[in-house]
């Protein structure tokens, strides 16, 4: 079981829901071996093992299946502490989504968030970052999906764009509740890689945020940066960088660009990474390869397009770098993965 610590504040909100469904919150916590004091601390954190026991204890009470649905709907943007502050201070919905994706590890470190947008749409993708039981996974996917819908609702002042929600969970007994969501089409799938995906059918950049404040946004950036410094102090900066690059989903930044994003000097960033026994060149190469494999498997982009997206000025350099790691060309890799996954998009011409 992972030793990861997750914010306790979200689970504390169960006390507002459970009594309405005949469940005693204190008895549930006692069964899970969790102290109410920990839940009520502003910066309280729970080991993932405690969260697993909490979910298992909740299921054992025969409480209604819609508890995670209700919990997610209860979590407003302000529930995300300093990250929520930054979201509310962002100029547009697009900026807010990029902000939370960048700092999602401060929101729910057991999951990853990736965000991308076009002039006509936006996509939020949530996937697990650590191993957990199926029951715990499905509980959190539903909570995260509903919380994301609530975030968008809050940020747009109730003008949430038409959205398609894809959840990799079986159709729940409370399916009817999803039908009540305004402008949301929900699809369930019990098979495939675990995820929650929200597809926004409108330009997020054209959705201004009423409380946008550049000075407040700067303060939020500084506070999140301070938390990143703390991550570095406990020898996890390399993991943070890997997750940040994954969540960007659009190539690998240069050392200078990353330093600016993290509000660290390149010298300080290198010192932290050296202390962890690595360097940025090694990390960037590994992440470029990981993103290349993902795009070759799942994207409909050509190999040339993938090379440019990943920051290669010449597709031939991309082919050489990929072959050095994979032992085959990008084209061969793409063909092999197509054979193992018939549902993957057909590759376009190079």
């Amino acid at each position: 079981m992972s030793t990861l610590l997750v914010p306790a504040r979200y689970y504390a909100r169960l006390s507002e829901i459970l009594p309405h469904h005949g469940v005693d919150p204190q008895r549930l916590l006692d069964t899970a071996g969790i102290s109410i004091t920990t839940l009520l601390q502003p910066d309280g954190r729970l080991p993932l093992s405690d969260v697993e026991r909490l979910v298992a204890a909740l299921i054992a009470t025969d409480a209604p299946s819609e508890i995670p649905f209700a919990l997610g709907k209860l979590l407003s943007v302000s529930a995300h502490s300093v990250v929520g502050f930054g979201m509310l201070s962002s100029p547009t919905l697009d900026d807010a989504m990029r902000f939370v994706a960048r700092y999602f590890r401060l929101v729910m470190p057991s999951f990853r968030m990736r965000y991308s947008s076009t002039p006509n749409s936006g996509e939020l993708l949530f996937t697990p970052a650590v191993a957990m039981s199926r029951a715990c996974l499905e509980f959190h996917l539903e909570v995260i999906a509903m919380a994301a819908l609530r975030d968008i609702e809050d940020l747009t002042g109730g003008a949430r764009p038409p959205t398609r929600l894809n959840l990799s969970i079986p159709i729940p007994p409370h399916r009817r509740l999803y039908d009540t969501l305004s402008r949301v089409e929900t699809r369930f799938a019990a098979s495939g890689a675990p995820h929650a995906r929200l597809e926004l059918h409108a330009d997020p950049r054209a959705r201004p945020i009423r409380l946008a404040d550049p000075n407040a946004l700067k303060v939020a950036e500084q506070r999140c940066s301070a938390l990143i410094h703390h991550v570095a102090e406990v020898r996890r900066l390399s993991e943070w960088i890997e997750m940040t690059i994954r969540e960007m989903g659009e190539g690998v930044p240069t050392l200078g660009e990353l330093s600016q994003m993290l509000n660290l000097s390149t010298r300080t960033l290198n010192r932290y990474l050296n202390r962890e026994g690595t360097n940025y060149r090694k990390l960037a190469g590994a992440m470029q390869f990981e993103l290349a494999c993902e795009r070759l498997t799942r994207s409909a982009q050509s190999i040339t397009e993938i090379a440019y997206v990943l920051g290669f000025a010449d597709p031939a350099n991309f082919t050489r770098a990929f072959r050095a790691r994979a032992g085959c060309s990008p084209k061969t890799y793409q063909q092999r993965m197509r054979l193992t996954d018939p549902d993957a998009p057909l590759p376009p011409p190079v």
Side-chain angles (χ1 to χ4, degrees), residues 119-123 160-166 183-185 187 198-204 207:
N120 300 311
S121 64
E123 180 181 280
R160 184 176 59 214
T163 304
R164 175 181 292 170
L165 170 61
N166 296 280
R183 291 171 293 179
V184 177
E185 174 194 355
R187 296 183 177 182
L198 283 76
E199 302 169 11
L200 310 180
H201 300 305
D203 185 357
R207 303 279 174 142

Side-chain angles (χ1 to χ4, degrees), residues 65-316:
S65 64
E66 65 259 30
I67 297 297
F69 179 96
L71 177 59
K73 287 193 69 176
L74 194 63
L75 301 177
S76 63
V77 175
S78 59
H80 308 317
S81 188
V82 62
V83 177
F85 180 59
M87 294 167 69
L88 288 167
S89 304
S90 299
T92 68
L93 179 61
D94 185 69
D95 294 303
M97 292 299 100
R98 293 188 184 280
F99 188 91
V100 66
R102 178 175 163 189
Y103 294 114
F104 195 71
R105 188 167 174 79
L106 298 178
V107 176
M108 185 52 63
S110 51
F111 283 79
R112 301 186 184 100
M113 175 185 175
R114 181 171 295 175
Y115 173 73
S116 61
S117 64
T118 71
N120 300 311
S121 64
E123 180 181 280
L124 292 69
L125 177 63
F126 302 93
T127 56
V130 295
M132 63 187 77
S133 70
R134 187 70 198 183
C136 190
L137 174 63
E138 292 179 359
F139 178 92
H140 283 88
L141 285 175
E142 195 167 5
V143 172
I144 289 171
M146 296 312 304
L149 287 172
R150 170 68 188 271
D151 287 346
I152 297 169
E153 186 84 10
D154 290 348
L155 292 167
T156 59
R160 184 176 59 214
T163 304
R164 175 181 292 170
L165 170 61
N166 296 280
L167 275 173
S168 62
I169 65 174
I171 298 176
H174 54 279
R175 173 69 175 85
R176 69 191 187 283
L177 295 179
Y178 284 88
D179 295 333
T180 67
L181 298 173
S182 176
R183 291 171 293 179
V184 177
E185 174 194 355
T186 307
R187 296 183 177 182
F188 299 95
S191 60
H195 69 274
R197 177 184 286 109
L198 283 76
E199 302 169 11
L200 310 180
H201 300 305
D203 185 357
R205 291 168 289 190
R207 303 279 174 142
I209 295 177
R210 182 172 56 86
L211 298 178
D213 184 332
N215 292 326
L217 180 59
K218 184 177 181 180
V219 170
E221 289 273 9
Q222 291 171 342
R223 292 177 64 186
C224 288
S225 176
L227 291 173
I228 291 178
H229 279 272
H230 173 69
V231 170
E233 291 300 322
V234 294
R235 296 179 57 85
R236 290 202 305 265
L237 183 61
S238 57
E239 181 184 354
W240 181 286
I241 290 173
E242 289 173 354
M243 293 189 68
T244 297
I245 294 173
R246 286 192 192 98
E247 288 154 5
M248 289 171 60
E250 298 176 354
V252 177
T254 65
L255 177 61
E257 290 169 340
L258 181 68
S259 298
Q260 187 174 20
M261 287 170 56
L262 301 183
N263 198 25
L264 296 171
S265 69
T266 55
R267 183 177 179 180
T268 299
L269 181 56
N270 274 324
R271 185 172 69 251
Y272 283 142
L273 292 177
N274 288 337
R275 192 174 65 187
E276 296 180 24
T278 188
N279 57 63
Y280 186 62
R281 182 176 181 180
K282 186 185 298 183
L283 278 178
M287 292 309 303
Q288 273 185 325
F289 179 67
E290 179 180 317
L291 292 173
C293 290
E294 180 178 324
R295 286 180 176 269
L296 288 168
T297 304
R298 290 293 176 187
S299 172
Q301 293 174 309
S302 70
I303 291 174
T304 297
E305 289 172 329
I306 292 173
Y308 289 140
V309 166
L310 294 180
F312 289 89
D314 184 348

